[in-house]
Amino acid sequence: MPLTMVPLGKEAIVNVCNAKEATKKFLETLGITPGASICVISEMGGNLIVNIKGARVAINRGVAQQLMVEAC
Amino acid sequence: MTYTFALVGNPNSGKTTMFNEITGAAQHVGNWPGVTVEKKEGKARKIKEDVKIIDLPGIYSLSPYSLEEIIARDYIVDEKPDVVINIVDASNIERNLYLTLQLKELGVPLVLVLNMIDVADARKDRIDINELEKYLGIPVIPASASKNSGVREVVEKALVVAETAKTGFVKKDHKVLDDIIEGYLDEVEKLISPIGNAKGWNSRWISLKLLEGDEKVKEKYHIPTNIIKDLKSFQEKLEKHYENDLETVFADSRYKYISRVIEKTVKKQLGNSGLTWSDKVDRIVTNRILAIPLFLSIMYAIFQITFGAIGSFTIDWVDGFMSDAVAGTLLRWLEAGGVAEWLRALVIDGIVAGLGSMLVFVPQIMLLFFFLALLEDTGYMARAAFIMDRFLRKLGLSGKSFIPMLLGFGCGVPAVMASRTLESEKDRRLTIILTPFMSCGAKLPVYALFAAAFFSNNQGAIIFSIYVLGIVIAILSGILLKNSILKGEVAPFVMELPPYRIPTLKGLGIHMAERGMAFIKKAGTIIFAAAVMIWFLQSFDFSVQMVEDPADSILGAMGKAIAPIFAPLGFGDWKSAVALLTGLIAKEVVVATLGILYGLGEVGEEVTQLGVALQTAFTPLKAYAFMAFTVLYMPCIAAFGAIKREMNSWKWTFIAVGYQTGIAWIVAFLIYQIGRLFGLS
Amino acid sequence: MINWIAGGLIIGVTLYVIISRANRLRKGENVCGCDCSSGDCYENKGK
């Protein structure tokens, strides 16, 4: 399921990223790689703030929809 | 022997603070990513002479995907600093180590600094320094730049590393990537090293980058096609084996290694999950209902305080000081020296009137920037970009464009330069066109002057409305341009948010002092020169005869020639026209020019008298239209130069300033004409 | 005498400022006459 479906505060595991090449690359640099655990901290109109490896990253809705995760 | 040490680290890892502590410089520290686009240089004055320190832009990796990364990587590879000092945020160690691994791959002499160790300590994270050194194979120094602890040790350790590196003793590195990748890497290195050894390359690193599919390295080192062909087959095999693309395979492999290191060396009391107090603040601040009202209220409150009682108090104080102490003393000197009438006029009516009318607003400007610095240092401004993204996206812009725009409230030049960090050329152009609509600090004296003269009861609200006008016009222009000449997809928005921090007084002090000093420096150079020139032009006519009435002067003639353009906007007199024209030198000169032309400077006449004089030429409606024109029309010559450089095209430069001036005219026209329909004058 | 010394000084400074700015602008360098703080503003040296 896409990251946007994850309820606030629930942890999930990153599965696959369908975003554009450059965006995907940047997300990977930030630690959003397959198998990483990710948690949604806050949501605003579909835009998210997530916790990834202890850092807080803002992701807009479009990208979040392309980021597939699995519930854990 | 002089050494060069380069500071490399993630954005927000406290690199610039470390730079300031080592060099004794007072560089501005931003609390959001992407502010520094170029490197800064300094000397380690406080600790050891002869050590040059380079502060590189904050980066997340050494891949060539963003401008900052390219600048940093090229510097390390080509300039070969003696030691790379890798600044790591100890409270965010896992993500920060990703860059560390890439620096290790590069094989440069490396020192790891665990900065902000106090933050990690406060969170009861326990980091085993010795174990970390063992796993990474590099020296690790705990430090806290903001508390000035461990800074000396960092430089001393770097000196030791530099000495060791000079002897040529390099420890054989253990492998980081997994065995299969390392196996292919050995294969590629076998192909590269014959060429590499001859040319003195770092073959291992080049092989790694080639295998990773780095196009920039392929071009830079002119790799022969037969090697490229073998490389392709290795890459295909790798992708097939992992059933994923190359970038993911490499990123994943590095992060797996980091996870293993972290597991052995870091004990987190709280763990990665669970809400920190920073997260709880975010839940409120970025709440879908509260976020925008909260943002607007904060900004409104700042303007109310700055231009309310406190601001007026500072004006009265400086005003009194300027007119009594400075102008009075100068006049006594001039009379005692028995100077000629023309020199007396030049000093008093030109320089004192011009500079004085602008300088009274310096404390107010410093106050405004104190509050903006407070918002930035706490980390709120980065959230503002996140909050605005949803809003901007509807208009065809990404929240990323908001950062150059925020910088625009300070000065248009760095703001225009910050647009470099945007990937898409169309977004870059659009941002450059829109950024000058953000009212820069230099325009503030204009509003402060007019608001005090015409809207003394609600100065804060009026000036706030001018700022909002600039933002609204930028947004409407965004929609217009994005749907016409700059069509394109909206860029994604992914940005790290720094944790909320309690700002230090020192940091805020640096911000304020910088603003104040920059203003005074500017007053002493460009505005001084402008005041002298304006005085000459308004005192003489074309036959170089001194005139009685400035209206007959050269400046008067110029003003009268362009004044009709502004007549439909409500300020068709030649003095306003000239002020707007000279404002292109620097926006403060608008005020300086009005000060000279309205004959300020006579002793005993306080600068607030300028407001009274302006009431003869303006009405509140006309004053508002004038302020609206000032916020929107083409920026000063320095910003114009920056626009030209970043656009790299005369055509686009003129489109930008032509658009800005055109919009300014239309908006001021509408304000004045609609105001008149409602019975205002 | 004092007229010419003081007047000359003022005009000299003015001309110096104008010429140096114009020169830097022509070379495409930053004319940081703006009130940008030192940290925000970088002198582009032949970049």
Side-chain angles (χ1 to χ4, degrees):
Chain A
M1 62 177 171
L3 184 63
T4 42
M5 305 264 290
V6 179
L8 231 68
K10 269 265 187 308
E11 242 176 272
I13 304 292
V14 178
N15 192 5
V16 68
C17 175
N18 299 322
K20 274 194 310 198
E21 179 81 24
T23 311
K24 178 166 175 269
K25 176 89 194 171
F26 187 54
L27 290 172
E28 279 164 1
T29 323
L30 291 175
I32 306 179
T33 52
S37 143
I38 194 167
C39 178
V40 179
I41 301 284
S42 179
E43 182 262 355
M44 188 193 163
N47 289 2
L48 304 177
I49 299 178
V50 299
N51 176 354
I52 180 84
K53 298 188 190 298
R56 302 293 177 271
V57 177
I59 297 177
N60 79 283
R61 186 187 181 157
V63 176
Q65 275 168 340
Q66 291 166 321
L67 196 64
M68 296 300 159
V69 297
E70 275 166 22
C72 65
Chain B
M1 176 69 197
T2 57
Y3 286 119
T4 306
F5 299 161
L7 298 180
V8 183
N10 281 190
N12 273 306
S13 57
K15 245 165 11 71
T16 306
T17 313
M18 183 62 83
F19 180 81
N20 285 348
E21 287 303 329
I22 297 177
T23 59
Q27 290 287 351
H28 167 112
V29 184
N31 197 10
W32 60 55
V35 174
T36 313
V37 278
E38 269 164 40
K39 56 178 191 283
K40 285 175 278 212
E41 232 184 88
K43 279 212 152 73
R45 262 188 218 99
K46 281 187 168 176
I47 294 152
K48 193 176 186 324
E49 282 297 332
D50 281 2
V51 170
K52 209 157 73 172
I53 306 287
I54 309 287
D55 188 17
L56 293 171
I59 49 172
Y60 292 109
S61 81
L62 285 180
S63 55
Y65 282 83
S66 75
L67 184 82
E68 297 97 316
E69 287 169 351
I70 294 169
I71 291 174
R73 187 167 99 176
D74 282 352
Y75 181 82
I76 298 169
V77 173
D78 299 335
E79 311 281 323
K80 296 191 178 63
D82 295 292
V83 177
V84 170
I85 300 176
N86 178 206
I87 312 284
V88 160
D89 175 358
S91 62
N92 187 3
I93 184 166
E94 195 168 352
R95 221 276 320 290
N96 276 249
L97 283 181
Y98 188 76
L99 178 64
T100 310
L101 283 195
Q102 293 196 314
L103 290 168
K104 249 173 71 72
E105 287 162 3
L106 205 50
V108 288
L110 198 59
V111 173
L112 186 90
V113 180
L114 281 181
N115 196 22
M116 305 193 206
I117 195 78
D118 51 327
V119 180
D121 283 345
R123 280 212 309 225
K124 305 223 162 55
D125 291 355
R126 285 226 303 280
I127 304 174
D128 191 329
I129 308 282
N130 290 332
E131 282 291 295
L132 197 61
E133 280 192 339
K134 220 166 75 194
Y135 278 101
L136 294 173
I138 48 174
V140 177
I141 314 282
S144 171
S146 63
K147 299 217 157 53
N148 195 15
S149 87
V151 176
R152 174 171 291 275
E153 288 80 350
V154 169
V155 179
E156 278 163 1
K157 189 51 134 188
L159 281 168
V160 174
V161 171
E163 295 287 346
T164 322
K166 219 172 47 179
T167 62
F169 176 74
V170 182
K171 227 181 346 185
K172 183 95 179 83
D173 259 337
H174 46 278
K175 296 183 164 37
V176 166
L177 300 165
D178 65 43
D179 294 342
I180 296 161
I181 303 179
E182 292 279 354
Y184 281 110
L185 195 53
D186 289 337
E187 296 292 320
V188 181
E189 199 181 353
K190 268 182 215 153
L191 298 172
I192 294 293
S193 46
I195 321 171
N197 290 344
K199 296 194 178 166
W201 291 349
N202 179 349
S203 300
R204 184 79 180 176
W205 182 71
I206 291 174
S207 308
L208 173 64
K209 287 290 131 183
L210 287 173
L211 193 61
E212 218 179 334
D214 190 319
E215 293 295 324
K216 282 264 162 22
V217 165
K218 207 195 279 179
E219 284 163 32
K220 190 168 170 181
Y221 294 95
H222 307 288
I223 305 300
T225 38
N226 59 326
I227 296 185
I228 303 275
K229 240 172 79 192
D230 288 340
L231 194 67
K232 280 248 165 64
S233 80
F234 292 144
Q235 287 172 334
E236 276 159 20
K237 279 182 203 157
L238 260 177
E239 283 186 327
K240 208 162 160 205
H241 181 268
Y242 287 96
E243 292 175 335
N244 225 325
D245 53 282
L246 283 170
E247 282 107 25
T248 315
V249 170
F250 277 86
D252 196 38
S253 186
R254 289 191 189 109
Y255 268 117
K256 285 218 171 94
Y257 182 80
I258 293 168
S259 296
R260 285 202 298 276
V261 174
I262 291 290
E263 216 171 273
K264 302 258 172 48
T265 55
V266 183
K267 297 276 171 292
K268 283 199 177 174
Q269 195 87 352
L270 300 170
N272 263 349
S273 50
L275 292 184
T276 62
W277 68 274
S278 178
D279 294 335
K280 285 174 194 149
V281 177
D282 268 340
R283 283 258 169 104
I284 299 163
V285 163
T286 63
N287 178 289
R288 72 172 78 187
I289 299 156
L290 292 177
I292 287 179
L294 198 63
F295 175 67
L296 291 176
S297 321
I298 291 173
M299 299 312 270
Y300 185 74
I302 289 175
F303 281 90
Q304 279 301 346
I305 297 169
T306 310
F307 298 99
I310 301 175
S312 309
F313 170 76
T314 64
I315 289 197
D316 292 342
W317 187 80
V318 184
D319 205 358
F321 173 76
M322 292 288 289
S323 59
D324 297 339
V326 180
T329 314
L330 261 176
L331 199 70
R332 266 201 306 283
W333 283 356
L334 291 173
E335 270 163 9
V339 301
E341 184 55 32
W342 66 268
L343 183 59
R344 183 178 172 276
L346 169 59
V347 174
I348 300 296
D349 301 339
I351 298 168
V352 172
L355 294 188
S357 56
M358 179 216 110
L359 283 173
V360 285
F361 300 111
V362 170
Q364 248 181 348
I365 289 160
M366 286 170 70
L367 204 58
L368 179 64
F369 283 106
F370 172 82
F371 287 118
L372 292 182
L374 194 68
L375 289 190
E376 189 192 323
D377 287 0
T378 52
Y380 181 73
M381 279 302 196
R383 270 72 185 181
F386 172 73
I387 294 165
M388 296 306 279
D389 178 76
R390 181 172 72 135
F391 189 52
L392 290 172
R393 196 157 289 277
K394 293 196 179 124
L395 316 170
L397 277 167
S398 144
K400 225 180 161 182
S401 304
F402 192 63
I403 291 167
M405 289 186 177
L406 275 173
L407 290 175
F409 288 125
C411 171
V413 174
V416 166
M417 285 171 70
S419 65
R420 275 190 209 176
T421 55
L422 303 174
E423 289 92 13
S424 131
E425 186 178 50
K426 281 181 176 158
D427 279 5
R428 210 158 49 226
R429 289 208 163 120
L430 186 58
T431 307
I432 294 171
I433 296 174
L434 303 186
T435 300
F437 288 142
M438 304 294 118
S439 180
C440 74
K443 292 174 189 165
L444 250 180
V446 183
Y447 318 141
L449 173 68
F450 278 87
F454 295 95
F455 307 96
S456 52
N457 292 329
N458 39 13
Q459 292 184 45
I462 288 291
I463 295 175
F464 182 65
S465 77
I466 289 289
Y467 272 75
V468 172
L469 176 73
I471 298 169
V472 169
I473 294 298
I475 288 168
L476 294 178
S477 303
I479 305 178
L480 179 74
L481 296 171
K482 196 80 187 179
N483 287 307
S484 54
I485 51 172
L486 288 167
K487 268 202 180 95
E489 225 178 295
V490 181
F493 177 69
V494 178
M495 188 172 99
E496 191 192 0
L497 299 177
Y500 287 101
R501 283 178 194 142
I502 294 165
T504 62
L505 268 177
K506 189 182 169 192
L508 293 175
I510 288 177
H511 268 283
M512 282 240 286
E514 264 177 1
R515 289 290 165 190
M517 279 313 293
F519 236 93
I520 288 161
K521 196 174 141 202
K522 200 176 169 188
T525 54
I526 190 112
I527 297 170
F528 174 88
V532 171
M533 258 169 48
I534 290 160
W535 181 83
F536 269 102
L537 292 174
Q538 65 101 43
S539 303
F540 294 92
D541 61 15
F542 285 104
S543 48
V544 207
Q545 295 295 310
M546 222 162 172
V547 292
E548 271 296 304
D549 183 358
D552 303 325
S553 66
I554 300 175
L555 205 62
M558 281 161 63
K560 282 179 203 152
I562 58 165
I565 301 172
F566 301 111
L569 318 182
F571 37 95
D573 63 301
W574 72 269
K575 289 176 179 174
S576 324
V578 159
L580 289 171
L581 188 68
T582 53
L584 297 179
I585 301 168
K587 290 294 158 96
E588 297 94 333
V589 177
V590 172
V591 172
T593 307
L594 292 172
I596 295 170
L597 294 181
Y598 282 97
L600 205 83
E602 287 309 313
V603 176
E605 195 169 5
E606 298 202 338
V607 176
T608 32
Q609 289 297 110
L610 178 54
V612 178
L614 285 174
Q615 282 166 359
T616 61
F618 286 86
T619 63
L621 178 64
K622 289 176 179 177
Y624 197 80
F626 187 84
M627 288 192 273
F629 190 85
T630 307
V631 64
L632 301 173
Y633 84 121
M634 84 172 264
C636 70
I637 193 87
F640 179 83
I643 293 174
K644 164 68 184 54
R645 271 201 315 275
E646 298 303 320
M647 287 283 196
N648 203 11
S649 137
W650 281 114
K651 185 186 127 197
W652 277 99
T653 309
F654 283 110
I655 288 177
V657 298
Y659 178 78
Q660 287 150 0
T661 311
I663 286 290
W665 196 92
I666 293 167
V667 170
F669 176 82
L670 290 177
I671 288 173
Y672 181 59
Q673 298 300 341
I674 292 173
R676 285 215 309 184
L677 286 182
F678 282 93
L680 299 165
S681 55
Chain C
M1 189 58 188
I2 183 153
N3 290 331
W4 294 114
I5 294 172
L9 198 69
I10 292 170
I11 294 160
V13 169
T14 304
L15 287 178
Y16 170 76
V17 170
I18 296 168
I19 291 167
S20 70
R21 301 278 152 155
N23 219 6
R24 273 157 66 184
L25 203 66
R26 192 175 51 79
K27 280 193 245 160
E29 286 169 16
N30 237 342
V31 227
C32 216
C34 57
D35 69 310
C36 34
S37 50
S38 50
D40 283 344
C41 215
Y42 313 102
E43 306 281 311
N44 274 18
K45 292 202 180 77
K47 264 223 141 180

